[in-house]
Amino acid sequence: MMESLVYIALFTPLVSALFAGLFGMSQRQVFVGIVSSMLLFVSFIASALLAYHVATTGNSVSVTLMDWIVVANLSIPFGFVVDHVSVTMMVVVTLVSTVVHIYSIGYMDHDKSFNRFFSYLSAFVFSMMVLVMSDNFAGLFIGWEGVGVCSWLLIGFWYHKADAPREKNPSISPSWAANEAFIMNRIADLGMLIGLFILFWHTGSLQYDVVFAQIPELPSIVLTLAAIALFIGAMGKSAQFPLHTWLTDAMEGPTPVSALIHAATMVTAGVFLVIRAYPLFELTPEVSYFIAALGTFVAFFAASMALVNRDLKRIIAFSTLSQLGYMFAAAGLGAYWIALFHLAAHAFFKALLFLGGGNVMHAMHDELDIFKMGGLKKYMKWTHVYMFLASLSLAGIPIFAGFFSKDAIIETAFNEGTLVLWSILVLTAGMTAFYSFRQIFLTFWGDERHNIEHPHEMYKFALVAMSPLALLAVIAGWFKNDFNSFVINLLPNYEMSEHTHHLVWYLGAIVLAFALAGIILAWVKYGKGLKRNEKVENRFVYKLLANQYYIPQIYEALISKPYAELSKFLWKKVDMRIVDAIVDGIANFIYTTGDEMRKMQTGNLSHYLNWMAGGAVFLLIFAGLLSMLG
């Protein structure tokens, strides 16, 4: 029974992708959307039943579909494991995916490539399920690359939009953004592959249980190199600095893509990798501390850029980047279960924010500039409520999910004695609250700055589909202790010291004070409408943040353009003048030789006898020379 549920959870998204793909450009859109959504819901139910089984019995479920790669000493089965970590990811992925599929029926209803979109979306979910359910690193890597390909397809879904030069138009085209995401992840994936090669070379296996059983016996330098290489892969997938620019540019894809891929699933794969490979990272404290430090930096770095951004989706994307930093900070400090808890809680309220942003775009005819909105609360009451609840959770206000998960990460930093990291994370919490409610106030409150005659709410069924995310954005944190008891059957438990326990209320009060200060400041500045200050906007710091620290421009000037110029030089000077010249020269030589040799075939018997006699003389001379040399 359990084995059947594993296959149902895994393969129904694949069936959904194939089903939607079969209809191609057919006009039977709603039918395809409903069936695909139902299949994803079946996958969610199977995942939930497996989670119940694992929780009640404490036993994982392992299945082997077939032998996959068997070469010499390498034997990798096509196997899957449903344990306390993987089943958590399965439930999160399938729940958010089901909501996104239902929502997309309304959001994409006028798109002529509706069925193609659902095929790509379901294929992504299948790849993500392979990633989290695999019982070995090779299977994880296949799912890893699968979500990369599907992400490329979905970000560039509206490929027909014309390309815009980056330096001339900040509105990057979907094709450009898709290629950027794909290439940056390929760079990082090379590091991950090197890590897998190191582990296989020294353990002779890629199975999780075999590798983790042997790594305590490996030299520290081997463990360090493997951990660094794997984390490089995680940096690309989870958009950590300096491989971070693709995440906000990926907002060129349809908004449901952002809700699924760039909030709840794919970008958390890097965090999942660190959590899954925790036995390796526990033995490499220097690498783990670097992960925590980088995560803390990224949390602050991304939040600072969100403070002044005007693009609705990019603000939420910067928020995702910041929260991923929090997750890496927890994992790097050894609080793996807390990182997983924040991953799950964040998926709910961040997906809700993105879908709410999609509702706003739907009402505003794809307008994204929050300076051109305002006063939408009276037109979009439910969207306002949903995004308000999600923002409260993101800001870490008590009783909401983000309060329990994010505050636990900040407490971990204090508990570990890393006061610099703790201070930065606390400050970032205040910044998070500010930009979250700056967005809310400028979008829904104050004066109407748009020229849309009658902004309207999203379809009712889409709003109903969003309601589970809204509920979980509120109550998910209440199950923190139950979640802890569940996952520590596999992950190491992390408990605060007595000293931290005594100070927990004071620590919480400090974080809450920063969060409330951020909300109050946002209200003072934007609660009654947009008040622009040209002096502030012209200052260097403001421009620095608005231009993302000029990092995209630096990459363009130092990497993209020189690479393009080098490619052009090699094409013209090496490829055309040397490679093509050699190939064409050989072809011309053969053609010319053949053309000349054709003159031998005159049909005259005496000519043929002369050639034969000449050939015989040549062979005799050649044979004589060989005998003399011998």
Tab-separated table of all heavy atoms in Angstrom, residues 293 322 377 502 522:
chain	number	residue	atom	x	y	z
A	293	ALA	N	27.407	32.732	7.585
A	293	ALA	CA	27.801	34.129	7.384
A	293	ALA	C	27.296	34.657	6.045
A	293	ALA	O	26.779	35.778	5.960
A	293	ALA	CB	29.325	34.251	7.471
A	322	SER	N	16.105	37.212	0.545
A	322	SER	CA	16.452	37.511	1.935
A	322	SER	C	16.100	36.353	2.866
A	322	SER	O	16.895	35.962	3.731
A	322	SER	CB	15.728	38.786	2.376
A	322	SER	OG	16.059	39.126	3.704
A	377	LYS	N	-7.605	48.851	-2.169
A	377	LYS	CA	-8.246	48.083	-1.099
A	377	LYS	C	-9.761	47.998	-1.291
A	377	LYS	O	-10.366	46.946	-1.046
A	377	LYS	CB	-7.911	48.721	0.254
A	377	LYS	CG	-8.514	48.016	1.446
A	377	LYS	CD	-7.972	48.569	2.767
A	377	LYS	CE	-8.325	50.024	2.930
A	377	LYS	NZ	-7.966	50.527	4.293
A	502	HIS	N	16.445	31.678	29.223
A	502	HIS	CA	16.107	32.724	30.198
A	502	HIS	C	15.900	34.074	29.523
A	502	HIS	O	15.156	34.924	30.027
A	502	HIS	CB	17.214	32.837	31.253
A	502	HIS	CG	17.262	31.660	32.186
A	502	HIS	ND1	16.148	31.158	32.824
A	502	HIS	CD2	18.307	30.886	32.591
A	502	HIS	CE1	16.480	30.126	33.580
A	502	HIS	NE2	17.800	29.933	33.451
A	522	ALA	N	6.864	52.605	7.872
A	522	ALA	CA	6.198	52.474	6.578
A	522	ALA	C	4.859	53.199	6.575
A	522	ALA	O	4.478	53.838	5.584
A	522	ALA	CB	6.009	50.999	6.237
